[in-house]
Amino acid sequence: MKLKKLAQLVALMGVVGPVVAQEATPPAMQRVEVTGSSIKRVAKEGALPVQVITFDQIEKQGITTTEQLVRTLSANGTGADNMTSGNNVFGADADRVSGGASFASLRGLGPSSTLVLLNGRRIATHGASGKSVDLNSIPLGAISRVEILKDGASAIYGTDAIGGVINFILKTNYSGVEASVSTNDTQAGGGATRRASLLAGTGSLESDRYNIMASLTVDKAQQLNGRDRSFVNGFQPGRGLSPDTTGTPFANQMAGAGTALGASFQLPGDANKYLQANPLSFQGKCDSIAGMSQYQTALWKDVTSPLRTTYSCAYDYGADYVLQFPVERANLLSRGTFQLAPDHRMFVEVLGSRTKATAILTPMQVQATVANKNLYPVGGAYYQDLSAYIPSFDRTKPISYKWRANDVGNRTQENTTDNARVLVGFEGNFGKWDYKAGISRAESSTKTKLTDGYSYTDKLYAALASGIINPWVGAGQSQMEAAKQLIESTKFRGDFQHGKTTLTQIDGSVSGELFQLPAGALAMAAGFDLRREGYSFAQDVDATQILLSPGNAALKDASRTVKAVYAELLVPVTKDLEMQLAIRRDDYSLVGATTNPKVAFRYQPTDFLLFRGSASKGFLAPSFQQLYSGSLSQELPNGVIDQEGCAKHPGVPEYCAIDRLDYRTGGNTNLKPETSKQGSVGFVIEPFKGYSASFDYWAINTKDRILNRTPQIVLANYQALNQYIHRNPDGTIEYVQAGWINAAGSRVRGLDVGLRGEGKIQDAKWTATLDGTYMDSFKFAEYQGQEYQELVGKFYTRDLYLRWKHNASFGVSRGDWSGLLIQSFSSGYKDQLPNGGKGAPPPGFKPDVSSYTTYNLSGTYTGFKNTTITVGIQNLFDRDPPFTAHNVDEVVGAGWDPRVADPRGRSLSFQLKYKFM
């Protein structure tokens, strides 16, 4: 097959960097398989847009985790799938069993729509949530390169890849020993990372007929607290940001029948019947306690009732979030490859990893009520008399209150995830026919321990009712020793829950040339994929006995079988036009069967211009958890307003200022598969040697999209979703039914841009690249019947669909020296409006969140024998995240948003690599 200049750009969307030096360099015309096709052909030839990132590029950017790597991809979504955003118990699609995991989400379509592969094969999904592959399980130190197939719904790897495919290609056939250590320390302190890796191999397939290699990588990330960064500040009312919570360390008293405040209270000359009070609020001294402030009623009056907040203090608990929690990882890869015959090889691959992530949440919010039997008693040492402020205060009654229980401690979960996979494979060729086959077993298990901040409900409530614990600890004060011991006696510490996913897979394929056509050889591939998927999740203790405990209801040993067959043709229609035709049939034992086609083309009329495009259909089956997880009862964090009930009963607290509203979540056995239709069309141009540009316009339409409907969505759309609001006989809300549904769908449009340039000035070589994504449109409907809403450039509680994102680089090398400058850019967007968008925001509120640009600079020196030294500065200009006034109850981040920005600030990285020859 004639090799043309521009054809080298097609499959990999540009010039691919050199492979790592330790690997054997393949012959110039060796046929290889690239992501998106099972037909081997001359490298870099193909019709689909594939972005490639080499390990050398990863190291020079100072990237130490797979999560960091995926976040640099312009095609990846800007969502709450990172470890910081996932450290939350509320919010849209909040994953209460993510266990410190991190996920990819190409095109912002969610982790389940992105297929993550290791050497072209599937691995087990996260042991607790089961929804997708945890990026922490990928052995980053052992990879050779990463290939990102941006064209989704792959008929080869699986039509569940609606957003695309990320394929991590491991090092193979390595001989020698290499050790490396790296550090990354922040200028402002906190959040440091450390990493050490060892790579060793022996034998050569060419001369010894075998190669055995192993890689071990150990890394550690230290804790970074919100209070350690000045931009983490949730109390900026002049800019439209203030905490929407009255759970404070110096507790707010609450009204209630049989309590000191009664069912409500009035002040002289004021007809309003108020529901909460705090003496610090009456004195204007809420801010005398660290992190507390006067509740800014005007900012939230249509979200949380002024009857509850006017005389209450608030607490900036968003600033207490842990921005980077402690993580320890260890990844081990061992691979043995054996040359059975000149054209036939067998390999055995063993992969194991352990991730220990200590998720740290803010202290629990406790309510003392008549129903909970934990009121503060009359005669208690800390009884708080408000009769000086409230004439109707009844000192003969106990006190109801809402308390942020800082003295109980941060809710701390130790999540340990173990991943393992054993793969035995065969590959080779019979003449012009290539084959490969494999059998593998993969498991992922997550165990969660609660180590602090959680108490048995009955024990804690009894302790509060004793009057020994002081919910009104003033500035400079602390609990008495007896209270500390009593609090400690209520705590639960130990094993709490565990989950496990399993994947047993047998796969095989054959590819080669069928016969010659006038324009070239007609090539084909056919294969099969048989999988047995399993999932289980259980509690180690009765979670209902532990106050505000995390997790989902138990799901015992669910499993399903997936049978898939596929075929692919590569048809040279003319000398310049090539077609790729593929079809895949998947049969899910619990869901049903589906057949999905794919067609792609590449047309190269001249040496400097190439056109390409594709069209396909996708199919995403619901996960085990989405289908079968049991019902779980929870509470909303704040007093909310029943819009329908409050309109009929204005001013009545049971409708207009609900204290703690119950809601239920869980699986939905009536879920239908999510389906998609998608396509792309683009061109690559190389006007001059060394300079190229690619432009690919893509579109994805999904139907019956699987989403976790939040109670806030139900309440905000009560006219259409009234059947999910369950009421008591008196009309008050008993509970809201939330959980997994089939939403109407989404319509997504965008443009991927790739620019490449390289040249030489005297004896110095330079390269310049840019990979960017322009999001033209992301239209979405929360439920069937709702009009599609445009979300690009607007605040949203799931993903932010930014108009433009890119990564650009400029590298220079000369002799033993090389340098690399990286620019990362994310465009701004419209911010969330205070007060649910009702009324006029404060004068200082700016509706636009600024764009976010950072620069990374690194230099590498190889002049010492067998040694490579790389020094880098990340976030060169110490750019703070852009300010946003969003409600922290819905999205993590007080004054900033971790979906967009990195909180670490400027940092210095250092890496030393030594090769033992």
Side-chain angles (χ1 to χ4, degrees):
M1 186 180 294
K2 185 178 179 180
L3 187 65
K4 298 183 179 180
K5 183 194 314 181
L6 188 60
Q8 300 179 20
L9 302 171
V10 179
L12 306 183
M13 274 192 71
V15 177
V16 181
V19 296
V20 289
Q22 303 90 335
E23 296 186 81
T25 302
M29 294 297 289
Q30 178 177 338
R31 291 180 299 157
V32 299
E33 180 182 331
V34 294
T35 300
S37 174
S38 283
I39 299 174
K40 292 187 177 182
R41 76 279 301 278
V42 177
K44 306 177 186 177
E45 210 179 320
L48 301 176
V50 179
Q51 179 182 354
V52 172
I53 303 173
T54 67
F55 185 67
D56 181 62
Q57 294 168 335
I58 293 170
E59 287 192 311
K60 288 181 178 179
Q61 291 185 62
I63 293 173
T64 57
T65 70
T66 312
E67 177 186 290
Q68 290 176 329
L69 170 63
V70 169
R71 293 191 68 169
T72 66
L73 304 178
S74 64
N76 194 58
T78 310
D81 305 302
N82 59 82
M83 298 180 76
T84 302
S85 295
N87 195 27
N88 194 16
V89 294
F90 300 109
D93 287 336
D95 189 347
R96 295 166 61 87
V97 291
S98 64
S102 176
F103 305 100
S105 176
L106 292 178
R107 307 306 188 196
L109 291 172
S112 298
S113 296
T114 297
L115 185 55
V116 176
L117 303 174
L118 201 62
N119 278 356
R121 288 184 167 94
R122 295 176 185 245
I123 54 179
T125 56
H126 182 244
S129 68
K131 66 181 180 182
S132 190
V133 172
D134 177 15
L135 296 176
N136 290 300
S137 67
I138 302 297
L140 191 63
I143 70 167
S144 170
R145 65 187 185 277
V146 185
E147 298 178 352
I148 302 96
L149 175 62
K150 300 179 182 181
D151 183 81
S154 170
I156 306 303
Y157 298 111
T159 48
D160 52 349
I162 292 175
V165 179
I166 302 179
N167 191 6
F168 292 89
I169 309 298
L170 299 175
K171 295 182 174 78
T172 59
N173 199 25
Y174 175 83
S175 182
V177 180
E178 173 185 297
S180 68
V181 293
S182 64
T183 65
N184 190 296
D185 293 273
T186 63
Q187 178 177 312
T193 63
R194 304 285 185 265
R195 181 178 176 184
S197 64
L198 180 66
L199 176 65
T202 182
S204 168
L205 287 177
E206 289 75 20
S207 58
D208 302 321
R209 298 173 61 85
Y210 77 91
N211 177 261
I212 298 175
M213 57 164 286
S215 169
L216 175 64
T217 302
V218 179
D219 59 271
K220 182 177 182 179
Q222 297 177 359
Q223 184 171 328
L224 175 61
N225 297 313
R227 300 290 183 186
D228 295 336
R229 294 294 184 266
S230 60
F231 58 81
V232 182
N233 179 5
F235 183 70
Q236 302 183 58
R239 305 173 77 178
L241 175 62
S242 181
D244 180 24
T245 178
T246 56
T248 50
F250 190 96
N252 287 292
Q253 288 198 28
M254 299 169 55
T259 69
L261 286 179
S264 62
F265 67 90
Q266 291 180 279
L267 299 178
D270 190 342
N272 289 318
K273 295 182 178 180
Y274 295 102
L275 303 173
Q276 283 186 190
N278 193 308
L280 297 181
S281 176
F282 285 110
Q283 300 170 38
K285 295 182 179 180
C286 286
D287 57 0
S288 65
I289 307 295
M292 284 178 50
S293 60
Q294 174 63 44
Y295 188 97
Q296 303 298 298
T297 299
L299 277 180
W300 300 109
K301 61 184 178 63
D302 293 299
V303 175
T304 303
S305 173
L307 301 178
R308 189 170 298 283
T309 63
T310 301
Y311 296 105
S312 295
C313 297
Y315 181 61
D316 185 12
Y317 70 96
D320 283 340
Y321 270 98
V322 173
L323 310 183
Q324 176 180 292
F325 46 80
V327 180
E328 297 178 6
R329 302 181 190 86
N331 287 281
L332 172 66
L333 169 71
S334 179
R335 180 183 174 103
T337 307
F338 308 94
Q339 193 82 30
L340 303 179
D343 296 322
H344 305 279
R345 294 174 300 281
M346 171 187 174
F347 63 90
V348 179
E349 188 175 280
V350 178
L351 173 68
S353 69
R354 166 166 286 191
T355 301
K356 182 183 290 186
T358 305
I360 304 172
L361 298 165
T362 52
M364 68 175 71
Q365 183 175 272
V366 178
Q367 293 198 101
T369 65
V370 172
N372 289 338
K373 299 179 181 179
N374 57 352
L375 299 174
Y376 193 85
V378 176
Y382 310 108
Y383 189 89
Q384 190 182 72
D385 184 358
L386 296 185
S387 58
Y389 309 101
I390 303 172
S392 61
F393 187 87
D394 189 348
R395 289 172 289 183
T396 67
K397 297 288 195 306
I399 298 173
S400 175
Y401 59 90
K402 185 183 293 185
W403 180 45
R404 176 69 61 172
N406 286 8
D407 294 305
V408 180
N410 287 327
R411 288 169 285 179
T412 307
Q413 307 164 17
E414 184 182 278
N415 302 285
T416 302
T417 299
D418 293 315
N419 292 276
R421 187 181 78 165
V422 178
L423 168 66
V424 178
F426 299 86
E427 59 187 17
N429 62 278
F430 295 96
K432 294 184 177 181
W433 288 87
D434 301 296
Y435 73 88
K436 65 176 182 178
I439 180 170
S440 63
R441 170 73 176 185
E443 295 183 356
S444 177
S445 62
T446 298
K447 297 179 180 179
T448 299
K449 292 182 178 180
L450 304 186
T451 59
D452 199 12
Y454 291 95
S455 293
Y456 286 102
T457 303
D458 291 345
K459 288 184 177 181
L460 181 60
Y461 283 179
L464 295 176
S466 71
I468 297 174
I469 298 171
N470 182 9
W472 300 286
V473 174
Q477 300 177 346
S478 62
Q479 296 284 351
M480 300 296 289
E481 188 60 33
K484 293 179 181 179
Q485 294 179 7
L486 183 58
I487 290 173
E488 184 63 31
S489 71
T490 71
K491 290 186 179 182
F492 170 82
R493 288 188 172 93
D495 294 338
F496 178 69
Q497 64 190 16
H498 60 276
K500 182 179 181 179
T501 63
T502 59
L503 174 64
T504 303
Q505 183 176 18
I506 302 175
D507 65 87
S509 69
V510 60
S511 65
E513 296 180 357
L514 291 174
F515 51 81
Q516 288 290 325
L517 293 174
L522 174 67
M524 66 83 64
F528 70 91
D529 178 8
L530 305 178
R531 306 194 305 274
R532 182 71 173 176
E533 301 173 345
Y535 177 67
S536 63
F537 182 82
Q539 304 284 354
D540 298 305
V541 297
D542 184 357
T544 63
Q545 303 300 310
I546 301 170
L547 186 61
L548 297 179
S549 60
N552 290 337
L555 174 58
K556 183 179 179 181
D557 295 331
S559 63
R560 66 186 178 198
T561 301
V562 184
K563 305 173 185 177
V565 292
Y566 61 88
E568 177 188 5
L569 286 176
L570 198 64
V571 184
V573 181
T574 68
K575 177 183 176 182
D576 302 323
L577 175 63
E578 182 180 87
M579 300 291 297
Q580 179 189 0
L581 308 175
I583 191 167
R584 182 183 179 98
R585 180 171 176 82
D586 295 90
D587 189 348
Y588 289 77
S589 60
L590 300 177
V591 179
T594 177
T595 301
N596 295 283
K598 182 167 189 173
V599 58
F601 77 91
R602 61 176 296 276
Y603 174 59
Q604 187 176 352
T606 68
D607 285 346
F608 62 86
L609 181 63
L610 180 144
F611 296 95
R612 61 187 175 195
S614 69
S616 60
K617 296 175 66 177
F619 176 93
L620 175 62
S623 70
F624 292 114
Q625 187 195 100
Q626 292 166 346
L627 285 168
Y628 305 120
S629 62
S631 179
L632 183 69
S633 296
Q634 301 172 69
E635 293 179 332
L636 285 173
N638 296 305
V640 298
I641 298 174
D642 171 10
Q643 296 184 38
E644 182 181 14
C646 189
K648 297 176 181 178
H649 308 277
V652 178
E654 288 77 10
Y655 300 94
C656 304
I658 304 173
D659 185 20
R660 298 286 282 185
L661 182 62
D662 292 332
Y663 70 97
R664 299 177 186 177
T665 60
N668 180 358
T669 56
N670 295 318
L671 285 176
K672 296 182 291 185
E674 182 178 327
T675 59
S676 69
K677 294 181 180 180
Q678 52 220 94
S680 66
V681 62
F683 67 92
V684 184
I685 186 169
E686 188 185 32
F688 308 102
K689 183 179 180 180
Y691 295 85
S692 66
S694 63
F695 301 87
D696 291 277
Y697 185 80
W698 49 268
I700 305 172
N701 290 348
T702 66
K703 182 181 178 183
D704 296 321
R705 190 177 176 195
I706 302 170
L707 289 179
N708 192 5
R709 179 186 51 213
T710 67
Q712 292 94 334
I713 292 296
V714 175
L715 292 170
N717 299 278
Y718 67 90
Q719 300 96 330
L721 303 176
N722 206 39
Q723 67 269 34
Y724 301 109
I725 302 175
H726 297 263
R727 297 185 180 273
N728 297 306
D730 62 358
T732 58
I733 298 178
E734 179 186 5
Y735 69 92
V736 175
Q737 181 63 55
W740 295 102
I741 64 164
N742 285 114
S746 59
R747 301 167 185 168
V748 194
R749 308 286 185 271
L751 177 71
D752 288 330
V753 178
L755 305 177
R756 300 287 186 274
E758 62 180 359
K760 190 173 183 180
I761 301 176
Q762 294 181 348
D763 56 348
K765 297 179 181 180
W766 64 268
T767 60
T769 69
L770 181 144
D771 284 292
T773 297
Y774 177 85
M775 185 73 76
D776 181 48
S777 176
F778 197 113
K779 291 185 177 180
F780 171 68
E782 285 277 2
Y783 54 87
Q784 296 287 351
Q786 184 187 43
E787 184 178 351
Y788 277 72
Q789 306 171 50
E790 180 60 72
L791 300 178
V792 173
K794 301 177 182 178
F795 176 87
Y796 193 56
T797 54
R798 287 191 177 91
D799 277 44
L800 291 172
Y801 302 100
L802 304 182
R803 183 67 70 184
W804 174 259
K805 293 169 61 177
H806 77 246
N807 249 41
S809 70
F810 182 78
V812 178
S813 62
R814 180 182 180 185
D816 296 326
W817 293 90
S818 64
L820 182 66
L821 177 66
I822 301 285
Q823 182 200 59
S824 297
F825 174 85
S826 298
S827 62
Y829 56 94
K830 295 292 183 183
D831 205 356
Q832 184 182 37
L833 295 174
N835 193 29
K838 299 178 181 178
F845 173 75
K846 294 183 179 180
D848 297 307
V849 178
S850 301
S851 61
Y852 182 63
T853 307
T854 59
Y855 293 86
N856 298 341
L857 179 64
S858 68
T860 300
Y861 180 68
T862 58
F864 300 117
K865 184 178 180 181
N866 303 331
T867 302
T868 301
I869 300 173
T870 300
V871 179
I873 302 176
Q874 289 71 48
N875 197 347
L876 180 63
F877 300 108
D878 201 19
R879 170 71 189 274
D880 282 344
F883 173 81
T884 166
H886 72 260
N887 186 350
V888 72
D889 278 337
E890 296 176 337
V891 173
V892 170
W896 73 293
D897 196 326
R899 296 178 297 176
V900 174
D902 183 349
R904 300 174 75 248
R906 184 188 290 129
S907 63
L908 176 67
S909 63
F910 175 82
Q911 182 188 65
L912 175 65
K913 182 189 297 183
Y914 185 79
K915 301 175 187 177
F916 300 86
M917 304 302 290

